[in-house]
Amino acid sequence: MSRSIRLLSIALVTLGPVEFGFAQDAMSGGATTVVIPRRQLSDRDAFSRPASNLSLTRRGNFFAGNSFFQNPWVTAPASTKARDGLGPLFNTMSCQSCHIKDGRGRPPRRGEEMISMLVRVSVPGDDGEATQRMLEKHGVVPEPTYGDQIQDRAVAGHAGEAKVEIEWTEIEGKFADGSTYRLRKPKVVLSDAAYGKLSDDVLTSPRVAPALIGAGLLDTIEVETLAAFVDPDDANGDGISGRFNQVWHVARGETVPGRFGWKCEQPDIRQQSAAAFAGDIGITSSVFPRDPLTDAQRSVIDAPNGGEPELSDEILDLIVFYCKTLAVPARRGHDDPVVLRGQQLFRQANCHACHVETLETGDDPRFPELSKQTIHPYTDLLLHDMGEGLADGRPVFEATGSEWRTPPLWGMGLVYLVNRHTNYLHDGRARNAEEAILWHGGEAESAKQYYVSCSADDRRAIVAFLKSL
Ligand code: HEC
Ligand code: HEC
Ligand SMILES: [Ca+2]
Ligand SMILES: [Ca+2]
Ligand SMILES: [Ca+2]
């Protein structure tokens, strides 16, 4: 190694990348950002690293949480007392099987089982008091026989609730320059319903697991910071009117703004994780002490459980710690001329009105690492009406059937590396970044139109910018 390179690396180690002049723009997660050396860019663990500024002792918590996130839960009773209680109904046996490599899920390919994705269900309900009470605390009226989610698997001796498949329809469209594009639209098909007939008016919402990088930073942003982007009556006349979902906080027993999930239906990572344990894996906790079974599922209610609750607060806290401290990777090629041009076009199209570039996190004494960070998540964490094309027609709390949370775009360019696919949007229908943009409608219609009217070169520049995130 030459002397100057050696000095350089010493400077890097002692000063850290930020002080060394690594552009602030590239440090998407502030001081938590991990800079992945170019030679490791084939590394599938790009989304699985602890925040850069996490101390050695706290890394211990991270790795303990990681093991509970990765390892499968088993049927009770089992010799591994800390990990039993799976099901009786469930989608998968671990967090990791949906959040593959802490990254994104995708819809099943032809003939595959659905794995890294789930389908929520509910019914419209009526105007009665019982419906209103249900909506206040659950956000939906559960389907009477199947509850609010299809668990397609069950422990031995019992049947999964139903078979879930996705059927696709192809749609064609045209760019302003005359070239054409094709999109595919999913339809959920439920069959082999094992516990009785599904309601005729069942509402379904297929959702892929999102990547979890930076979730702790998003959890640490103050409500007041996000409130600055709320514009329900579109006072500034740009056609964009983000708003909060208002959801039930179980531990606090009150309604608060939601920020996690594709429709902002969970208030924080702790409740989101506990809900995943109950709904996706069948593991009860102090937050959700009962398995989500309906009266029609009496035959499975008596299946042995793994304790009351099955998950200790201690393990839940470790998993929450893990999710909160998963690092955001630094950008790659952020100052490439094509990328910079793409960023300019992204702003001209007004994409950044929803995909907000820069936010400050608040102050959380339990997580000094996440506090007071300047971050570039490319989200406002608010709901937007995205039009009929993307609508699932299934309202949750205050989110309508066509409203979705602006997803963060950080890490987008590494999804293929980590997950070996580039399926975007809530149901993974977009096969790449461009298709994701072309599905935008509603409040984002004019941004989409801007993209459609771009030259092929400019479209490539926008996509190059997204890939640099
Ligand atoms: C069956 C697939 C599946 C499993 C298993 C699963 N998740 Fe998820 N996860 C999802 C989906 C889908 C969403 C989006 C939820 C929504 O839209 O309401 C999500 C969202 C999240 C989020 C919020 C991310 C964001 O940006 O909104 C966190 C945190 C999370 N999951 C943690 C966990 C943990 C912890 C576990 C294990 C206990 C887990 N998940 C298990 C599918 C899964
Ligand atoms: C009105 C707010 C709004 C505007 C403007 C907007 N978006 Fe989005 N964007 C969203 C929402 C909401 C979603 C999620 C929709 C869904 O999953 O159904 C989304 C999803 C995406 C995704 C997929 C991300 C993922 O994790 O699946 C990409 C990529 C994206 N937008 C890029 C852009 C670009 C580029 C522009 C400008 C041309 C733009 N967006 C303009 C709100 C907006
Ligand atoms: Ca259980
Ligand atoms: Ca169910
Ligand atoms: Ca506005």
Side-chain angles (χ1 to χ4, degrees):
M1 207 191 295
S2 84
R3 188 182 146 77
S4 57
I5 291 180
R6 192 158 57 233
L7 279 179
L8 206 106
S9 20
I10 290 169
L12 257 174
V13 169
T14 49
L15 296 175
V18 181
E19 293 82 350
F20 193 64
F22 207 90
Q24 220 283 318
D25 259 14
M27 302 301 280
S28 312
T32 66
T33 312
V34 281
V35 180
I36 302 177
R38 199 164 270 285
R39 72 190 138 76
Q40 279 176 32
L41 275 184
S42 62
D43 172 352
R44 288 197 66 192
D45 294 329
F47 289 171
S48 304
R49 318 227 165 164
S52 274
N53 56 353
L54 208 58
S55 72
L56 216 54
T57 17
R58 283 168 66 85
R59 274 168 205 246
N61 291 353
F62 176 88
F63 289 111
N66 182 34
S67 83
F68 284 101
F69 188 87
Q70 272 187 355
N71 294 339
W73 294 75
V74 298
T75 310
S79 51
T80 42
K81 283 278 165 284
R83 276 184 198 288
D84 71 350
L86 174 69
L89 302 178
F90 61 95
N91 293 93
T92 59
M93 298 187 287
S94 70
C95 308
Q96 156 98 345
S97 36
C98 284
H99 299 280
I100 299 167
K101 294 250 155 224
D102 308 295
R104 297 174 75 96
R106 62 167 175 79
R109 304 199 172 111
R110 200 185 296 273
E112 260 182 5
E113 244 184 287
M114 183 173 283
I115 293 176
S116 49
M117 175 176 190
L118 54 83
V119 175
R120 298 260 165 80
V121 291
S122 54
V123 290
D126 53 26
D127 297 332
E129 229 179 86
T131 295
Q132 292 317 309
R133 269 201 310 275
M134 190 57 93
L135 290 178
E136 188 198 350
K137 293 197 178 157
H138 296 278
V140 296
V141 180
E143 203 282 340
T145 310
Y146 293 92
D148 62 8
Q149 183 168 318
I150 297 295
Q151 287 88 5
D152 52 358
R153 300 214 256 159
V155 295
H158 297 285
E161 288 184 318
K163 186 167 167 202
V164 188
E165 286 166 301
I166 307 277
E167 275 175 10
W168 301 99
T169 326
E170 292 268 334
I171 298 171
E172 206 167 275
K174 248 193 182 117
F175 292 109
D177 66 11
S179 56
T180 57
Y181 59 79
R182 295 178 77 83
L183 301 174
R184 55 168 195 175
K185 185 164 187 163
K187 191 176 134 212
V188 174
V189 183
L190 298 172
S191 59
D192 299 352
Y195 296 88
K197 193 174 168 314
L198 266 159
S199 308
D200 291 328
D201 54 357
V202 64
L203 308 171
T204 58
S205 183
R207 307 198 186 173
V208 297
L212 297 182
I213 47 169
L217 293 165
L218 301 180
D219 213 7
T220 310
I221 298 167
E222 275 164 22
V223 171
E224 295 70 42
T225 304
L226 301 175
F229 299 98
V230 173
D231 184 18
D233 305 316
D234 190 17
N236 69 353
D238 63 355
I240 295 173
S241 58
R243 62 188 198 121
F244 283 122
N245 202 348
Q246 296 291 343
V247 308
W248 188 249
H249 195 293
V250 178
R252 280 162 50 187
E254 59 175 336
T255 294
V256 302
R259 68 174 70 174
F260 289 103
W262 289 99
K263 282 192 193 272
C264 293
E265 57 193 87
Q266 295 293 352
D268 55 30
I269 292 179
R270 188 180 166 84
Q271 187 167 319
Q272 172 85 48
S273 302
F277 266 116
D280 307 348
I281 315 182
I283 298 293
T284 57
S285 62
S286 60
V287 188
F288 296 104
R290 283 192 306 186
D291 279 317
L293 301 170
T294 64
D295 289 345
Q297 294 170 331
R298 286 206 179 285
S299 61
V300 287
I301 288 179
D302 296 331
N305 72 24
E308 288 179 359
E310 293 165 327
L311 181 73
S312 67
D313 277 349
E314 198 190 347
I315 296 178
L316 176 59
D317 287 342
L318 281 174
I319 291 193
V320 169
F321 187 93
Y322 175 73
C323 292
K324 283 188 81 132
T325 51
L326 275 167
V328 183
R331 290 180 59 192
R332 294 100 17 235
H334 69 282
D335 50 3
D336 177 287
V338 177
V339 167
L340 288 173
R341 171 150 179 70
Q343 180 161 28
Q344 222 172 27
L345 294 163
F346 182 86
R347 290 173 181 159
Q348 269 164 32
N350 211 20
C351 308
H352 67 323
C354 301
H355 296 285
V356 171
E357 299 183 354
T358 304
L359 290 169
E360 303 287 329
T361 63
D363 209 351
D364 182 349
R366 296 161 307 166
F367 285 93
E369 300 86 355
L370 305 175
S371 299
K372 298 280 168 224
Q373 297 297 325
T374 301
I375 60 172
H376 307 295
Y378 293 87
T379 177
D380 55 5
L381 295 177
L382 297 178
L383 293 173
H384 295 276
D385 189 319
M386 296 297 284
E388 270 315 296
L390 283 172
D392 64 358
R394 179 180 179 269
V396 180
F397 290 107
E398 291 189 4
T400 67
S402 52
E403 282 179 317
W404 299 99
R405 177 187 82 167
T406 312
L409 301 180
W410 51 19
M412 251 194 86
L414 293 170
V415 168
Y416 184 76
L417 181 68
V418 172
N419 294 121
R420 299 287 187 262
H421 70 78
T422 49
N423 292 162
Y424 298 107
L425 298 174
H426 66 273
D427 49 17
R429 67 175 71 186
R431 287 165 292 200
N432 52 49
E434 175 164 283
E435 288 190 11
I437 300 169
L438 293 168
W439 274 110
H440 282 54
E443 293 173 38
E445 179 63 30
S446 66
K448 194 260 303 282
Q449 287 307 334
Y450 184 96
Y451 184 84
V452 167
S453 64
C454 277
S455 68
D457 271 352
D458 284 355
R459 297 197 303 265
R460 269 195 292 276
I462 293 175
V463 170
F465 164 67
L466 294 175
K467 285 188 174 163
S468 77
L469 298 178

